[in-house]
Amino acid sequence: MTDKKIYLDHAATTAVRKEVLDVMLPFFTEHFGNPMSVHSFGRDVAKYVERSRESIAENLGAEPKEIFFTGSGTEADNWALRGYALANTKKGRHIITSSIEHHAVLHTCEYLEKEGFEVTYLPVDSEGFVDPKELEKAIRPDTILVSIMHANNEIGTIQPIAELGSICRDKKIAFHVDAVQSTGVLPINLAELPVDMLSLSGHKFYGPKGIGALYVKKGIRLKPIIYGGGQERGLRAGTHNHVGIIGLAKALELAVAEQKDYVAKLTKLRDLLIDGLINNIPQIRLNGPYGDRRLPGNVNVSIQYIEGEGMLLHLDMLGIAASSGSACTSGSLDPSHVLLAIGLSHEIAHGSLRLSLGRENTEEDINQVLDVLPKIVANLRAMSPLYHG
Ligand SMILES: *Cc1c(COP(=O)(O)O)cnc(C)c1O
């Protein structure tokens, strides 16, 4: 037993990298001006904000003018859906999304339904994939917008966004992608992908919290959802979080530069963990797909006859941080909407555990989990009235 803590909840958030922190620090103190000010303090900061925008655009295959800063991935999702819907009501009031989106998308859709829009929630298959044929079938003459996530935050399913996007493009329907889990991990080239809007968030790839961005393709019209000053060309008011913006750009630069090695490392650890769990725990199932259509750092399993929360608490006592679903839904007792959508019963969904890997994890971490988790499961099952091992 070691005293080292093991963090396996990178899908919830990541620590700011040292290299990112270092470029941010002078902007709290020396470079503090408001980038909207005309004096030298403001111009100084504005220059760095624009350089960051250029760098982010370059790393995504976009134009700097197509990048808008937001306060979070949640805000980017809210803005893409609400902002586009409100600006395009003349074309129609029908929106299509999937049943496994993040709540930032799903709850915005629920709000839009109350505002008189109609939303179709596409089903997914047992691994969490949206079928492009289902999308085609759901499109109506009054469909204005489709929103499908790139990679799922709970079960790691990577959607065929190029294929889904080209269906939308053929029908002249706007396509929004929540890429909060995939940014920095999966290649994203917006010069080639048929995507009109894309959301990302700094704290999911070793940047700071409280900063996100929305890519908005040239020609796409959005209404603002936050009113005030004239920042972001009048479309997103509020003094720039310039420290966050600088950190976001640096985090993305590093992630893109190191992507190949990072993905290779995570994939190896992920498969070691998946295989070890499957082989050492009876009556366990992997949620989401195997192989390269799964996010490299994502492991999600359901273990029959026990509660995910019980496993979490026991792992936490041993210094291992995991999640029983998404961080947003844990704390409530409802099983995850994603696990129900892939066809799990409430009972099985309750016994689910997400382990999401990241930069600091090592093979020893994985071996540690494989050492303790089967024992935790056996102990919990011994106390479970449902289990007759
Ligand atoms: C984390 C997450 C969000 C929300 O981003 P925040 O910056 O934390 O608000 C949205 N979508 C997905 C898929 C996420 O994983």
Side-chain angles (χ1 to χ4, degrees), residues 84 91 139 143-145 165-175 196 220:
Y84 190 83
K91 293 186 201 159
I139 290 173
T143 306
I144 53 172
L145 174 64
S166 54
I167 292 168
C168 297
R169 193 142 291 180
D170 282 350
K171 309 255 172 164
K172 299 192 166 55
I173 296 165
F175 184 44
D196 298 304
I220 293 289

Side-chain angles (χ1 to χ4, degrees), residues 15-25 206 250 254 359:
V16 172
R17 287 177 70 159
K18 174 82 169 66
E19 304 95 306
V20 171
L21 178 67
D22 286 344
V23 299
M24 289 168 66
L25 283 175
Y206 311 97
K250 183 68 179 180
L254 292 168
R359 281 175 55 77

Side-chain angles (χ1 to χ4, degrees), residues 11-12 72-75 77 102 104 149 151 153 178 180-181 201 203-204 211:
S72 61
T74 298
E75 187 194 324
D77 284 344
H102 190 272
M149 71 204 314
N153 47 304
D178 174 341
V180 173
Q181 284 291 328
S201 174
H203 76 100
K204 299 289 176 83
I211 185 70

